[in-house]
Amino acid sequence: HLLYPLSGQVHGFNVFRYADEARLWGGVTAPFRRRGVGTALMAWGIGRARSVRALDKVYAGTSSLRTDAHELYRRSGFVHARTFNAMVHTNPGSIPRPTWPPGTSWRNDLGDHAVAVATDVHNRGFVGHWDYRPMTEEAMGHTLNEPGAGPELSFVAYLDGLPIAFCLCRVAAPGGFINMLATDPEARGRGIGLALLNQAMVEMAARGARVIELNVDAENPTGAIRLYQRAGMTTTSSFEIFELDLR
């Protein structure tokens, strides 16, 4: 990360994060915007990204309302890639335990099998989505062990004994967050994704979550937004993703 000190105080920062993909995240305090601080920070971040030879893209994002930041990204060579919606359920304690479709069941806390099962279902469920790339078991292992996550918040749905949907959550009471929800394309349209989502939110509420949030691609091709709305979630804001081709 880089901090930008002015007049003895820090008025801007930029963080370069690289795991399975590269992202830039930063900001400048309002009184020091349009004074070249953001441009300097962005140049540093792009330089850091270019120093990683394996990278072909770097991503950055901000609120849909921050048109000044959008201009900065474009001046720095980024192009708009996608819009995401932030959605929230404000009363998960009211969600009843779901009735599961015939032939289906769910489990969490899969022990040594969690990483392999989650990786497999994730990669089947997200094929055809924007910016899809197969997730490795190593990357999934890191995701499953993020602060607030863990095996007890990794939920898998089964159809006739086979894993066909996966929901990964994390809780930092009083808040909860759904990291990902994936359903095998062959199992969609049967109510399994909705049952798994509701089951996950019931379990999160039992662990202290009073508000549950998630982010979803506004152009999701599988009807995910309608699914979340059926579960009682509403859109509260949106943010824009920009990408820079490093090749």
Side-chain angles (χ1 to χ4, degrees):
H1 68 275
L2 179 70
L3 303 178
Y4 202 98
L6 289 169
S7 305
Q9 294 181 311
V10 173
H11 289 283
F13 71 98
N14 201 1
V15 176
F16 172 69
R17 181 175 182 268
Y18 174 50
D20 54 328
E21 61 185 21
R23 295 185 179 275
L24 293 175
W25 174 68
V28 178
T29 59
F32 286 84
R33 292 173 187 162
R34 300 191 180 279
R35 297 175 59 174
V37 176
T39 300
L41 289 168
M42 185 61 70
W44 171 86
I46 293 171
R48 288 285 291 118
R50 292 190 185 282
S51 71
V52 181
R53 294 182 180 275
L55 287 179
D56 58 1
K57 288 184 180 180
V58 62
Y59 297 90
T62 189
S63 164
S64 299
L65 302 177
R66 285 292 308 280
T67 56
D68 56 332
H70 305 169
E71 293 174 8
L72 171 61
Y73 291 143
R74 292 190 172 98
R75 290 199 307 269
S76 301
F78 285 78
V79 296
H80 183 261
R82 213 69 169 182
T83 300
F84 276 72
N85 292 342
M87 302 187 72
V88 63
H89 198 300
T90 57
N91 189 19
S94 67
I95 300 172
R97 290 190 176 274
T99 300
W100 284 82
T104 62
S105 60
W106 72 279
R107 283 185 59 191
N108 63 345
D109 201 358
L110 299 179
D112 294 339
H113 302 291
V115 171
V117 170
T119 304
D120 175 53
V121 178
H122 172 279
N123 289 340
R124 282 185 278 138
F126 280 101
V127 169
H129 286 59
W130 172 74
D131 198 39
Y132 166 77
R133 63 193 74 189
M135 197 170 194
T136 65
E137 290 191 7
E138 179 182 10
M140 180 62 76
H142 290 306
T143 302
L144 290 175
N145 289 289
E146 288 182 348
E152 71 280 3
L153 289 171
S154 303
F155 304 93
V156 179
Y158 294 82
L159 176 62
D160 297 329
L162 299 176
I164 43 77
F166 169 69
C167 186
L168 172 62
C169 312
R170 66 178 190 266
V171 172
F177 192 83
I178 298 172
N179 278 18
M180 61 181 73
L181 175 66
T183 303
D184 187 304
E186 298 298 321
R188 291 176 187 152
R190 306 185 190 188
I192 299 171
L194 180 61
L196 184 62
L197 173 63
N198 282 332
Q199 187 72 55
M201 291 198 290
V202 166
E203 300 298 324
M204 294 168 74
R207 290 167 172 80
R210 298 294 174 262
V211 175
I212 295 176
E213 301 174 276
L214 59 79
N215 296 322
V216 58
D217 182 354
E219 300 174 46
N220 182 285
T222 65
I225 292 178
R226 292 193 301 274
L227 171 70
Y228 298 138
Q229 289 171 336
R230 288 173 61 196
M233 307 191 83
T234 57
T235 298
T236 56
S237 62
S238 62
F239 59 97
E240 311 301 328
I241 301 295
F242 292 78
E243 65 181 16
L244 175 66
D245 193 332
L246 298 175
R247 293 169 294 184

